[in-house]
Amino acid sequence: MKKPSCQITIRNFYNNMTMDIDFLRTIEGAKHIVKSRLEKEEVFEAFVFKVCAN
């Protein structure tokens, strides 16, 4: 099994973080699906584990 190159690993990390940031910005600006501040905070708290996993 080939080891992935450092460039591929960094690119994958960057892409994952970009998608995560975009998603969280969408949640932050949501007016209909995630209305209350408490619900938004809960989504952000749950997302911390995904960010740490990256």
Coordinates of all heavy atoms in Angstrom, one line a residue:
M1 N 0.8 -1.2 0.0 CA 0.0 0.0 0.0 C 0.9 1.2 0.0 O 1.8 1.4 0.8 CB -0.9 0.0 1.3 CG -1.8 1.2 1.3 SD -2.8 1.3 2.8 CE -3.5 -0.3 3.0
K2 N 0.6 2.1 -0.9 CA 1.4 3.4 -1.0 C 1.0 4.4 0.1 O -0.2 4.5 0.4 CB 1.2 4.0 -2.4 CG 1.9 3.3 -3.5 CD 1.6 4.0 -4.9 CE 2.3 5.4 -4.8 NZ 2.1 6.1 -6.1
K3 N 2.0 5.1 0.6 CA 1.7 6.1 1.5 C 1.3 7.4 0.7 O 1.8 7.7 -0.3 CB 3.0 6.5 2.3 CG 3.4 5.5 3.3 CD 4.6 6.0 4.0 CE 5.1 4.9 5.0 NZ 6.3 5.4 5.8
P4 N 0.2 8.1 1.2 CA -0.2 9.3 0.5 C 0.9 10.4 0.7 O 1.6 10.4 1.7 CB -1.5 9.7 1.2 CG -1.4 9.0 2.5 CD -0.6 7.8 2.3
S5 N 1.1 11.2 -0.3 CA 2.1 12.2 -0.2 C 1.6 13.3 0.7 O 0.4 13.5 1.0 CB 2.4 12.8 -1.6 OG 1.3 13.7 -2.0
C6 N 2.5 14.1 1.2 CA 2.2 15.2 2.1 C 1.3 16.2 1.5 O 0.4 16.7 2.1 CB 3.5 15.8 2.6 SG 3.3 17.1 3.8
Q7 N 1.5 16.5 0.2 CA 0.7 17.4 -0.5 C -0.8 17.0 -0.6 O -1.7 17.8 -0.4 CB 1.2 17.7 -1.9 CG 2.5 18.4 -1.9 CD 3.1 18.6 -3.3 OE1 2.7 17.9 -4.2 NE2 4.0 19.5 -3.5
I8 N -1.0 15.7 -0.9 CA -2.4 15.2 -0.9 C -3.0 15.3 0.4 O -4.2 15.7 0.6 CB -2.4 13.7 -1.5 CG1 -1.9 13.7 -2.9 CG2 -3.7 13.1 -1.3 CD1 -1.7 12.3 -3.5
T9 N -2.3 14.9 1.5 CA -2.8 15.0 2.8 C -3.2 16.4 3.2 O -4.3 16.6 3.8 CB -1.8 14.4 3.8 OG1 -1.4 13.1 3.5 CG2 -2.3 14.4 5.3
I10 N -2.3 17.3 2.9 CA -2.6 18.7 3.2 C -3.8 19.3 2.4 O -4.7 20.0 2.9 CB -1.4 19.6 3.0 CG1 -0.3 19.3 4.1 CG2 -1.7 21.1 3.1 CD1 1.0 19.9 3.9
R11 N -3.9 18.9 1.1 CA -5.0 19.3 0.3 C -6.3 18.7 0.8 O -7.3 19.4 0.9 CB -4.8 18.9 -1.2 CG -5.8 19.4 -2.1 CD -5.6 19.0 -3.5 NE -5.7 17.5 -3.7 CZ -4.9 16.8 -4.3 NH1 -3.8 17.3 -5.0 NH2 -5.0 15.5 -4.4
N12 N -6.3 17.5 1.2 CA -7.5 16.8 1.8 C -7.9 17.5 3.1 O -9.1 17.8 3.3 CB -7.3 15.4 2.0 CG -7.2 14.6 0.7 OD1 -7.7 15.0 -0.3 ND2 -6.7 13.4 0.8
F13 N -7.0 17.8 3.9 CA -7.3 18.5 5.2 C -7.9 19.9 4.9 O -8.9 20.3 5.5 CB -6.0 18.7 6.0 CG -6.1 19.6 7.2 CD1 -6.8 19.1 8.3 CD2 -5.7 20.9 7.2 CE1 -6.9 19.9 9.5 CE2 -5.8 21.7 8.3 CZ -6.5 21.2 9.4
Y14 N -7.3 20.6 4.0 CA -7.8 22.0 3.6 C -9.2 21.9 3.0 O -10.1 22.7 3.4 CB -6.8 22.6 2.6 CG -7.3 24.0 2.1 CD1 -7.1 25.1 2.9 CD2 -8.0 24.1 0.9 CE1 -7.5 26.3 2.5 CE2 -8.4 25.4 0.5 CZ -8.2 26.5 1.3 OH -8.6 27.7 0.9
N15 N -9.4 20.9 2.1 CA -10.8 20.8 1.6 C -11.8 20.4 2.6 O -12.9 21.0 2.6 CB -10.8 19.7 0.5 CG -10.0 20.1 -0.8 OD1 -9.9 21.3 -1.0 ND2 -9.6 19.2 -1.6
N16 N -11.4 19.5 3.6 CA -12.4 19.2 4.6 C -12.7 20.4 5.5 O -13.8 20.6 5.9 CB -11.8 18.0 5.5 CG -11.8 16.7 4.8 OD1 -12.6 16.5 3.8 ND2 -10.9 15.8 5.2
M17 N -11.6 21.1 5.9 CA -11.9 22.3 6.7 C -12.7 23.4 6.0 O -13.5 24.0 6.6 CB -10.5 22.9 7.2 CG -9.7 22.0 8.1 SD -10.6 21.4 9.6 CE -10.7 22.9 10.4
T18 N -12.5 23.5 4.7 CA -13.3 24.5 4.0 C -14.7 24.1 3.9 O -15.6 25.0 4.1 CB -12.7 24.6 2.5 OG1 -11.3 25.0 2.6 CG2 -13.5 25.6 1.7
M19 N -15.0 22.8 3.7 CA -16.4 22.4 3.7 C -17.0 22.6 5.1 O -18.2 23.0 5.2 CB -16.5 20.9 3.3 CG -16.2 20.7 1.8 SD -16.6 19.0 1.2 CE -15.6 18.0 2.3
D20 N -16.3 22.3 6.1 CA -16.8 22.4 7.5 C -17.1 23.9 7.8 O -18.2 24.2 8.3 CB -15.8 21.9 8.5 CG -15.6 20.4 8.5 OD1 -16.4 19.7 7.8 OD2 -14.6 19.9 9.0
I21 N -16.2 24.8 7.4 CA -16.4 26.2 7.7 C -17.7 26.7 6.9 O -18.5 27.4 7.4 CB -15.2 27.0 7.3 CG1 -14.1 26.7 8.3 CG2 -15.5 28.5 7.2 CD1 -12.7 27.2 7.9
D22 N -17.8 26.3 5.6 CA -18.9 26.7 4.8 C -20.2 26.2 5.4 O -21.2 26.9 5.5 CB -18.8 26.2 3.4 CG -17.7 26.8 2.6 OD1 -17.3 27.9 3.0 OD2 -17.3 26.3 1.6
F23 N -20.2 25.0 5.9 CA -21.4 24.4 6.5 C -21.8 25.2 7.8 O -23.0 25.5 8.0 CB -21.2 22.9 6.9 CG -22.4 22.3 7.6 CD1 -23.5 22.0 7.0 CD2 -22.3 22.0 9.0 CE1 -24.6 21.5 7.7 CE2 -23.3 21.5 9.7 CZ -24.5 21.2 9.0
L24 N -20.8 25.5 8.6 CA -21.1 26.2 9.9 C -21.6 27.6 9.6 O -22.4 28.2 10.3 CB -19.8 26.2 10.8 CG -19.5 24.9 11.4 CD1 -18.2 24.9 12.1 CD2 -20.6 24.4 12.3
R25 N -21.0 28.3 8.5 CA -21.5 29.6 8.2 C -23.0 29.5 7.7 O -23.8 30.4 8.0 CB -20.6 30.2 7.1 CG -19.3 30.7 7.6 CD -18.5 31.4 6.5 NE -17.3 31.9 7.0 CZ -16.2 32.1 6.3 NH1 -16.2 31.8 5.0 NH2 -15.1 32.5 6.9
T26 N -23.3 28.4 7.0 CA -24.7 28.3 6.6 C -25.6 28.1 7.8 O -26.7 28.7 7.8 CB -24.8 27.0 5.7 OG1 -24.0 27.2 4.5 CG2 -26.3 26.8 5.2
I27 N -25.2 27.3 8.8 CA -26.0 27.1 10.0 C -26.1 28.5 10.7 O -27.2 28.8 11.2 CB -25.4 26.1 10.9 CG1 -25.4 24.7 10.2 CG2 -26.0 26.1 12.3 CD1 -26.8 24.2 10.0
E28 N -25.0 29.2 10.8 CA -25.0 30.5 11.5 C -26.0 31.5 10.9 O -26.7 32.2 11.6 CB -23.6 31.1 11.5 CG -23.6 32.4 12.3 CD -22.2 33.0 12.2 OE1 -21.5 32.8 11.2 OE2 -21.8 33.7 13.2
G29 N -26.1 31.5 9.6 CA -27.0 32.4 8.9 C -28.4 31.9 8.7 O -29.3 32.6 8.2
A30 N -28.7 30.6 9.1 CA -30.0 30.0 8.8 C -31.1 30.7 9.6 O -30.9 31.1 10.8 CB -30.0 28.6 9.2
K31 N -32.2 31.0 9.0 CA -33.3 31.7 9.6 C -34.6 30.7 9.8 O -35.4 31.0 10.6 CB -33.8 32.9 8.7 CG -32.7 33.9 8.5 CD -32.4 34.7 9.7 CE -31.4 35.8 9.3 NZ -30.6 36.2 10.4
H32 N -34.6 29.7 9.0 CA -35.8 28.8 9.0 C -35.6 27.4 9.7 O -36.4 27.0 10.5 CB -36.4 28.6 7.6 CG -36.8 29.9 7.0 ND1 -37.9 30.6 7.4 CD2 -36.2 30.6 6.0 CE1 -37.9 31.7 6.6 NE2 -36.9 31.8 5.8
I33 N -34.5 26.8 9.3 CA -34.3 25.4 9.8 C -33.8 25.4 11.2 O -34.3 24.7 12.1 CB -33.4 24.6 8.8 CG1 -34.1 24.5 7.5 CG2 -33.1 23.3 9.4 CD1 -33.2 23.9 6.4
V34 N -32.7 26.1 11.4 CA -32.1 26.2 12.8 C -32.4 27.7 13.2 O -31.6 28.6 12.9 CB -30.6 25.9 12.7 CG1 -30.0 25.9 14.1 CG2 -30.4 24.6 12.1
K35 N -33.4 27.9 14.0 CA -33.8 29.2 14.3 C -33.2 29.8 15.6 O -32.6 30.9 15.5 CB -35.4 29.3 14.5 CG -36.1 29.0 13.3 CD -37.6 29.0 13.5 CE -38.4 28.6 12.3 NZ -39.8 28.7 12.5
S36 N -33.2 29.0 16.6 CA -32.8 29.6 17.9 C -31.3 29.5 18.1 O -30.6 28.7 17.5 CB -33.4 28.8 19.1 OG -32.8 27.6 19.3
R37 N -30.8 30.4 18.9 CA -29.4 30.5 19.2 C -28.9 29.2 19.9 O -27.8 28.7 19.6 CB -29.1 31.7 20.0 CG -27.6 31.8 20.3 CD -27.3 33.1 21.0 NE -25.9 33.2 21.3 CZ -25.3 33.7 22.4 NH1 -26.1 34.2 23.3 NH2 -24.0 33.7 22.5
L38 N -29.7 28.7 20.7 CA -29.4 27.4 21.5 C -29.2 26.3 20.5 O -28.2 25.5 20.6 CB -30.5 27.1 22.5 CG -30.3 25.8 23.3 CD1 -29.0 26.0 24.1 CD2 -31.5 25.6 24.2
E39 N -30.1 26.1 19.5 CA -30.0 25.1 18.5 C -28.7 25.2 17.7 O -28.0 24.2 17.5 CB -31.2 25.1 17.6 CG -32.4 24.6 18.2 CD -33.6 24.7 17.3 OE1 -33.6 25.6 16.4 OE2 -34.6 24.0 17.5
K40 N -28.4 26.4 17.4 CA -27.1 26.7 16.6 C -25.9 26.3 17.5 O -24.9 25.7 17.0 CB -27.1 28.1 16.2 CG -28.1 28.4 15.1 CD -28.0 29.9 14.6 CE -29.1 30.1 13.6 NZ -29.1 31.4 13.0
E41 N -25.9 26.7 18.7 CA -24.8 26.4 19.6 C -24.6 24.9 19.7 O -23.5 24.4 19.7 CB -25.0 27.0 21.0 CG -24.8 28.5 21.1 CD -25.1 29.1 22.4 OE1 -25.4 28.3 23.4 OE2 -25.0 30.3 22.6
E42 N -25.7 24.1 19.8 CA -25.7 22.7 19.9 C -25.0 22.1 18.6 O -24.2 21.1 18.7 CB -27.0 22.1 20.2 CG -27.6 22.6 21.5 CD -28.2 21.5 22.3 OE1 -28.3 20.3 21.8 OE2 -28.6 21.8 23.4
V43 N -25.4 22.6 17.5 CA -24.8 22.1 16.2 C -23.3 22.4 16.2 O -22.5 21.5 15.9 CB -25.5 22.7 15.0 CG1 -24.7 22.4 13.7 CG2 -26.9 22.3 14.9
F44 N -22.9 23.6 16.6 CA -21.5 24.0 16.6 C -20.7 23.1 17.6 O -19.6 22.6 17.3 CB -21.3 25.4 17.0 CG -21.5 26.4 15.9 CD1 -22.7 26.5 15.2 CD2 -20.4 27.2 15.5 CE1 -22.8 27.3 14.1 CE2 -20.5 28.0 14.4 CZ -21.7 28.1 13.7
E45 N -21.3 22.8 18.8 CA -20.6 22.0 19.8 C -20.5 20.5 19.3 O -19.4 19.9 19.5 CB -21.4 21.9 21.1 CG -21.3 23.2 21.9 CD -22.3 23.3 23.1 OE1 -22.9 22.2 23.4 OE2 -22.3 24.3 23.7
A46 N -21.5 20.0 18.6 CA -21.4 18.7 18.0 C -20.3 18.6 16.9 O -19.7 17.6 16.7 CB -22.7 18.2 17.5
F47 N -20.2 19.7 16.2 CA -19.3 19.7 15.1 C -17.8 19.8 15.5 O -16.9 19.5 14.7 CB -19.6 20.9 14.2 CG -19.6 20.6 12.7 CD1 -20.6 19.9 12.1 CD2 -18.6 21.1 11.9 CE1 -20.6 19.6 10.8 CE2 -18.5 20.8 10.6 CZ -19.5 20.0 10.0
V48 N -17.6 20.2 16.7 CA -16.2 20.3 17.2 C -15.5 18.9 17.1 O -14.3 18.9 16.7 CB -16.2 20.7 18.7 CG1 -14.8 20.5 19.4 CG2 -16.6 22.1 18.8
F49 N -16.2 17.8 17.3 CA -15.6 16.5 17.2 C -15.1 16.2 15.8 O -14.1 15.6 15.5 CB -16.5 15.4 17.7 CG -16.7 15.5 19.2 CD1 -17.9 15.9 19.7 CD2 -15.7 15.2 20.1 CE1 -18.2 16.0 21.1 CE2 -15.9 15.4 21.5 CZ -17.1 15.8 21.9
K50 N -16.0 16.6 14.8 CA -15.6 16.4 13.4 C -14.4 17.2 13.0 O -13.5 16.7 12.3 CB -16.8 16.8 12.5 CG -16.5 16.5 11.0 CD -17.8 16.7 10.2 CE -17.6 16.2 8.8 NZ -16.5 16.7 8.0
V51 N -14.3 18.5 13.5 CA -13.2 19.3 13.2 C -11.9 18.7 13.8 O -10.9 18.7 13.2 CB -13.4 20.8 13.7 CG1 -12.2 21.6 13.6 CG2 -14.5 21.4 12.9
C52 N -12.0 18.3 15.0 CA -10.9 17.7 15.7 C -10.4 16.4 15.0 O -9.2 16.1 14.9 CB -11.2 17.3 17.2 SG -11.3 18.8 18.2
A53 N -11.4 15.6 14.5 CA -11.0 14.4 13.8 C -10.2 14.7 12.5 O -9.4 13.9 12.1 CB -12.3 13.6 13.4
N54 N -10.5 15.8 11.9 CA -9.7 16.2 10.7 C -8.3 16.5 11.1 O -7.4 16.2 10.4 CB -10.3 17.4 10.0 CG -11.5 17.1 9.2 OD1 -11.7 15.9 8.7 ND2 -12.4 18.0 9.0

